[in-house]
C-alpha cells in the first residue's frame, strides 16, 4: 500500500528586511572609460559630488588625474559634460575642452545650468545648456576677502558644498574659511551663515548671518521644499539648519565625534564628520558618515536611523539589503520622487531602492507586503504577473516558481526590487514490488522526485539505503520515507511494509533441483508447474501455495502429470511460496 504524507514548513524571509542596494555605474576598476556606452561598463578614478536634474539625469564629479564631470542618463548611458581637456580656464568655450582640476560638489538650477565646485582652482564654474563653461564665483585666490560685490571677484577658498534654492540663488560652502555664501540671480555674493576667517560652534537660535554664529568646516549643503537649508558642519560633527526666516539651529549631532544614536533623536546622536547631505520631497534628510562608512536618515519627526552600510569599509552587498552592504567612500547623494537614493562610492555609483522589499524571496502560495517610502499615491507593478501578482496596497502573492521585479512608480521615477518565487517541495508517491518482505530479504523502492533522502521509521525492522534498497531485519511493520526538502519546507512520501518470517527455504525461482520448473515468474493469470525429470513423480505429493503469513491459498491435487496449470488470477498481488515434492519455491504474483 502506498500513501503520501505531506508536511509544509513556512520559513521566514530569505534575507533581512530593508531596502535593496545595487550598482548602477562603474566597474570598480579605477581609470577612465565608457563614454557613449552603458554606465555599468564605465570606469571612474575617484567619485566625489553628485546631483540629479529634473529630467532624471545624474551628474557625478570624478576628481581623478584629469578631473571630469560625467552625465548618466535615465536610460543608463554615460558621457563627459565637463573637464578632460587642456585649457586652464576656457571660459566661453566648450566645457569638455577645459581642465577642471578637482571637481567636487555639483548643483543644477531650474534652467538646467550645471554648477561645479573646483577645489584646486578655488572657483565655482557654470556650464550652461549649450555646454559653454564660465566662472560663476571666485577668482582663484585661496583666502577670505569678504562677502559683498560680484561673485566673480570674491575669494572662494574651498567650495566643498553647492546647492540652489527655490529663488535661484546658489549657496556655496567654503570648507576652509568656514563660511556659507549666497550668490543671487544678479551674480552678487552675500554672507549666508558663519563669519569666515575662523571656526567654532556658536549661535543656535540667532540669525545665521549674526556675528554670534560660527561654523567649522562646512561641507555638503541642501535646501528642502519648505525653504530650510541644511549644512554639514563637518568639524563640529553636527548638521546645522537655517530655517526660512534665517534662524540657525543644530538639526543633528551632539557635537561629539563618534557613531551612536540610531533610533533616537538626531540631536542626541554622535556623527563622524558628516560631509554630504540630501533631501527628499517628504521631509526626510539623508547624511553620509563617510568615516563610519554608513548613510543615515533623519525623518520629519527628527529620528535618526541607519539605512545603508554595516560600518565596515569595503564593497559588498549588491542585490541584498543596503543595511548589510559594505561601503568604501560614500560621497555625493541625490534622491528622486520615488525615494530612490543615489550616491557615489569611490569608483562606483550605487542606488538604494525606494521600496522596502521585506525579503528577496518567498515561496509559491505565500504573500509579502511591500512598503513604499514615498508617502504619495503611486502604482505597484509586477514585471511577471504569472510569477507573482501585486495589489494596489503592495501585497505580493507568489503564483509560480520564477523571478520577477516589483515596481513602485511615482511620476517619472520608479523604485524597484527583484523578487524570486521559490517552489514548494514535492515528493511523488513511492512505488515498490510488494508491501511484505521476508526476513533477510530485500526489495527496491523508487520515487521519481529528485534530490530526496530515504529514511526508515524503524531501522530495527527494516533498513533502507540511499538507493532505495530495503532489507528486512526483524518481524513487524515499518514505514519507509522519501523526504524532499528545500527552502520552503519539507514534503514526505511514505511506503509501509510488513517484514514477516517466510515458511520453508527459498531456492532459485526458475529451477528446483532440476526436477520441477515453475513459470512464468512473475505470474499474472496462470501458474505452470512442469515436471522435466525422468524420475517417478511422487503420486501422493500435493501442490500447496501459501502467502507470506504462512496461510494456505491453494491446496491442489497430487502431481500426476508432467504439467499442471493453476489459476492464480484471484490471488492478491504479492510474494507466495509453492511447495512441490517437498521443495519450496518463491513466486511473485502480480
Amino acid at each position: 500500500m502506498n500513501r503520501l504524507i505531506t508536511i509544509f514548513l513556512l520559513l521566514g524571509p530569505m534575507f533581512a528586511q530593508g531596502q535593496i542596494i545595487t550598482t548602477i555605474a562603474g566597474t570598480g576598476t579605477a581609470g577612465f572609460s565608457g563614454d557613449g556606452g552603458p554606465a555599468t561598463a564605465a570606469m571612474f578614478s575617484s567619485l566625489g559630488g553628485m546631483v540629479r536634474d529634473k529630467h532624471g539625469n545624474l551628474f557625478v564629479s570624478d576628481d581623478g588625474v584629469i578631473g571630469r564631470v560625467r552625465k548618466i542618463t535615465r536610460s543608463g548611458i554615460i558621457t563627459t559634460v565637463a573637464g578632460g581637456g587642456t585649457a586652464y580656464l576656457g571660459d566661453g568655450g566648450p566645457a569638455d575642452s577645459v581642465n577642471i582640476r578637482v571637481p567636487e560638489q555639483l548643483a543644477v538650477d531650474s534652467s538646467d545650468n550645471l554648477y561645479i565646485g573646483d577645489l584646486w582652482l578655488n572657483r565655482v564654474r557654470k556650464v550652461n545648456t549649450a555646454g559653454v563653461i564660465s566662472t560663476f564665483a571666485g577668482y582663484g585666490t585661496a583666502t577670505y576677502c569678504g562677502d559683498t560685490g560680484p561673485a566673480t571677484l570674491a575669494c572662494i577658498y574651498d567650495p566643498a558644498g553647492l546647492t540652489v534654492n527655490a529663488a535661484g540663488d546658489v549657496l556655496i560652502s567654503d570648507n576652509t574659511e568656514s563660511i556659507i555664501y549666497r550668490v543671487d540671480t544678479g551674480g552678487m555674493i552675500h554672507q549666508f551663515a558663519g563669519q569666515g576667517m575662523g571656526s567654532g560652534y556658536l549661535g543656535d537660535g540667532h540669525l545665521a548671518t549674526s556675528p554670534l554664529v560660527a561654523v567649522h568646516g562646512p561641507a555638503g549643503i541642501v535646501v528642502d521644499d519648505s525653504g530650510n537649508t541644511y549644512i554639514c558642519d563637518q568639524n563640529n560633527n553636527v548638521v546645522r539648519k537655517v530655517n526660512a526666516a534665517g534662524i540657525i539651529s543644530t538639526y543633528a549631532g551632539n557635537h561629539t565625534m563618534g557613531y551612536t544614536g540610531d533610533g533616537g533623536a538626531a540631536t542626541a546622536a554622535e556623527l563622524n564628520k558628516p560631509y554630504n547631505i540630501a533631501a527628499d520631497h517628504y521631509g526626510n534628510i539623508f547624511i553620509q558618515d563617510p568615516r563610519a562608512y554608513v548613510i543615515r536618515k533623519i525623518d520629519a519627526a527628527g529620528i535618526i536611523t541607519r539605512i545603508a552600510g554595516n560600518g565596515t569599509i569595503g564593497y559588498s552587498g549588491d542585490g541584498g539589503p543596503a543595511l548589510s552592504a559594505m561601503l568604501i567612500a560614500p560621497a555625493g547623494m541625490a534622491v528622486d520622487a520615488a525615494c530612490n537614493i543615489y550616491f557615489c562610492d569611490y569608483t562606483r555609483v550605487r542606488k538604494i531602492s525606494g521600496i522596502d522589499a521585506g525579503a528577496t524571496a518567498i515561496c509559491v502560495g505565500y504573500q509579502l507586503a511591500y512598503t513604499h517610502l514615498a508617502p504619495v499615491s503611486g502604482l505597484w507593478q509586477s514585471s511577471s504577473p504569472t510569477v507573482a501578482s501585486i495589489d494596489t496596497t503592495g501585497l505580493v502573492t507568489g503564483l509560480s516558481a520564477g523571478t520577477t521585479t516589483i515596481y513602485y512608480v511615482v511620476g517619472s521615477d520608479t523604485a524597484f526590487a527583484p523578487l524570486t518565487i521559490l517552489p514548494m517541495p514535492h515528493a511523488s508517491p513511492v512505488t515498490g514490488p510488494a508491501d511484505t518482505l521476508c526476513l533477510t530479504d530485500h526489495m527496491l523502492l523508487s520515487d521519481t522526485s529528485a534530490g530526496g533522502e530515504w529514511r526508515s521509521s524503524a531501522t530495527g525492522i527494516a533498513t533502507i539505503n540511499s538507493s532505495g534498497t530495503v532489507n528486512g531485519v526483524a518481524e513487524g511493520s515499518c514505514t519507509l520515507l522519501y523526504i524532499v526538502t528545500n527552502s520552503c519546507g519539507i514534503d514526505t512520501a511514505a511506503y509501509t511494509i510488513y517484514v514477516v518470517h517466510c515458511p520453508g527455504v527459498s531456492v532459485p525461482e526458475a529451477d528446483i533441483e532440476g526436477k520441477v520448473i515453475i513459470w512464468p515468474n512473475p505470474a499474472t493469470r496462470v501458474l505452470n508447474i512442469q515436471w522435466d525429470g525422468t524420475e517417478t513423480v511422487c503420486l501422493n505429493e500435493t501442490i500447496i501455495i501459501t502467502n507470506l503469513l504462512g496461510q494456505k491459498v491453494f491446496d491442489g491435487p497430487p502431481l500426476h502429470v508432467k504439467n499442471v496449470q493453476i489459476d492464480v488470477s484471484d490471488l492478491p498481488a504479492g510474494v507466495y511460496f509453492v511447495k512441490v515434492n517437498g521443495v519450496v519455491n518463491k513466486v511473485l504474483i502480480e
Side-chain angles (χ1 to χ4, degrees):
M1 177 185 295
N2 295 331
R3 69 183 183 189
L4 183 66
I5 301 175
T6 305
I7 303 173
F8 291 122
L9 301 179
L10 174 62
L11 301 185
M14 300 297 105
F15 299 97
Q17 294 186 2
Q19 298 165 254
I20 301 299
I21 190 171
T22 54
T23 291
I24 63 170
T27 64
T29 300
F32 170 76
S33 70
D35 273 0
T40 51
M43 290 194 297
F44 302 98
S45 293
S46 178
L47 292 170
M50 172 186 285
V51 71
R52 188 174 188 266
D53 69 13
K54 62 187 177 186
H55 310 290
N57 301 303
L58 285 175
F59 296 85
V60 294
S61 58
D62 190 346
D63 58 8
V65 177
I66 301 179
R68 292 176 171 85
V69 176
R70 303 175 78 178
K71 173 183 174 181
I72 303 169
T73 65
R74 187 185 288 273
S75 61
I77 302 301
I78 190 168
T79 54
T80 294
V81 296
T86 58
Y88 182 68
L89 285 178
D91 282 347
D96 59 1
S97 68
V98 303
N99 180 0
I100 299 179
R101 300 296 299 277
V102 182
E104 186 68 15
Q105 298 300 324
L106 306 172
V108 175
D109 65 21
S110 60
S111 299
D112 293 329
N113 297 299
L114 173 67
Y115 301 87
I116 307 166
D118 191 330
L119 298 188
W120 281 17
L121 289 182
N122 308 117
R123 289 174 168 87
V124 175
R125 315 297 297 281
K126 175 181 176 181
V127 180
N128 66 19
T129 55
V132 175
I133 195 167
S134 60
T135 295
F136 176 76
Y139 70 96
T141 300
T143 185
Y144 172 75
C145 58
D147 46 34
T148 58
T152 52
L153 300 180
C155 303
I156 306 293
Y157 194 161
D158 189 356
L162 289 176
T163 194
V164 181
N165 64 20
D169 301 333
V170 177
L171 305 181
I172 306 168
S173 292
D174 190 326
N175 185 261
T176 299
E177 293 297 338
S178 295
I179 188 170
I180 296 93
Y181 297 106
R182 178 178 65 87
V183 180
D184 63 29
T185 54
M188 304 300 288
I189 196 167
H190 311 271
Q191 174 201 17
F192 180 79
Q195 298 303 309
M197 300 179 65
S199 62
Y201 178 54
L202 301 168
D204 281 354
H206 295 274
L207 284 171
T209 55
S210 167
L212 298 175
V213 172
V215 296
H216 190 188
I221 185 169
V222 71
V223 180
D224 68 15
D225 290 353
S226 299
N228 302 301
T229 302
Y230 302 85
I231 305 160
C232 287
D233 196 344
Q234 184 187 15
N235 294 330
N236 282 323
N237 303 297
V238 297
V239 174
R240 310 289 286 276
K241 173 183 174 181
V242 179
N243 66 18
I247 304 300
I248 194 169
S249 61
T250 295
Y251 180 73
N254 63 9
H255 193 45
T256 300
M257 185 171 67
Y259 181 81
T260 63
D262 283 343
T267 50
E270 292 180 354
L271 307 181
N272 195 337
K273 292 189 176 294
Y275 195 80
N276 292 286
I277 193 165
D280 65 17
H281 299 292
Y282 315 111
N284 300 302
I285 301 298
F286 304 88
I287 58 174
Q288 290 173 339
D289 255 353
R291 299 189 182 189
Y293 311 109
V294 299
I295 297 174
R296 304 171 83 175
K297 170 186 172 181
I298 305 168
D299 65 19
I303 303 301
I304 190 169
T305 54
R306 175 177 61 93
I307 62 167
N310 63 12
T312 303
I313 185 172
Y315 171 75
S316 71
D318 275 358
L323 286 169
S324 301
M326 296 171 65
L327 312 182
I328 298 178
M333 281 190 300
V335 187
D336 67 20
C339 285
N340 296 301
I341 302 168
Y342 308 84
F343 68 98
C344 298
D345 194 8
Y346 187 38
T347 57
R348 297 175 176 89
V349 179
R350 305 178 78 177
K351 176 181 178 180
I352 303 169
S353 176
I355 58 177
D356 190 332
T360 58
I362 60 171
C363 304
V364 169
Y366 288 92
Q367 294 182 318
L368 174 66
Y370 275 74
T371 302
H372 60 83
L373 304 182
V376 294
S377 178
L379 177 65
W380 288 106
Q381 295 176 345
S382 170
S383 66
S384 299
T386 59
V387 173
S389 63
I390 188 166
D391 66 14
T392 56
T393 68
L395 183 65
V396 171
T397 301
L399 301 176
S400 62
T403 58
T404 187
T405 302
I406 301 301
Y407 297 98
Y408 187 69
V409 183
V410 180
S412 60
D413 293 325
T414 302
F416 64 89
L419 181 65
T420 299
I421 307 301
L422 301 173
M424 298 299 292
H426 173 68
S428 60
V430 175
T431 57
D435 59 3
T436 53
L437 179 65
C438 293
L439 281 171
T440 72
D441 208 347
H442 64 270
M443 70 169 66
L444 181 65
L445 303 183
S446 64
D447 190 289
T448 59
S449 307
E453 177 186 359
W454 289 104
R455 292 182 191 173
S456 170
S457 67
T459 55
I461 294 175
T463 62
I464 187 167
N465 65 15
S466 59
S467 300
T469 300
V470 183
N471 290 285
V473 177
E475 291 184 87
S477 65
C478 179
T479 301
L480 290 314
L481 305 173
Y482 188 74
I483 303 172
V484 178
T485 305
N486 68 11
S487 299
C488 291
I490 300 173
D491 193 16
T492 303
Y495 192 93
T496 300
I497 64 166
Y498 301 90
V499 179
V500 298
H501 176 73
C502 300
V505 179
S506 177
V507 295
E509 299 173 358
D511 195 355
I512 304 177
E513 297 181 348
K515 305 199 184 289
V516 176
I517 297 175
I518 300 176
W519 58 278
N521 191 4
T524 55
R525 295 177 57 83
V526 175
L527 186 65
N528 293 279
I529 302 175
Q530 181 177 343
W531 174 256
D532 69 347
T534 57
E535 299 180 13
T536 302
V537 177
C538 179
L539 298 179
N540 294 323
E541 180 72 27
T542 59
I543 300 169
I544 297 174
I545 302 176
T546 61
N547 62 22
L548 287 174
L549 299 177
Q551 300 166 331
K552 286 184 182 181
V553 296
F554 180 85
D555 189 352
L559 183 61
H560 293 301
V561 295
K562 286 193 173 184
N563 186 62
V564 174
Q565 290 186 331
I566 300 173
D567 184 0
V568 295
S569 60
D570 291 334
L571 295 179
V575 177
Y576 293 85
F577 299 93
V578 181
K579 183 180 180 182
V580 181
N581 253 13
V583 180
V584 177
N585 190 46
K586 185 173 69 174
V587 175
L588 176 62
I589 296 178
E590 295 180 335

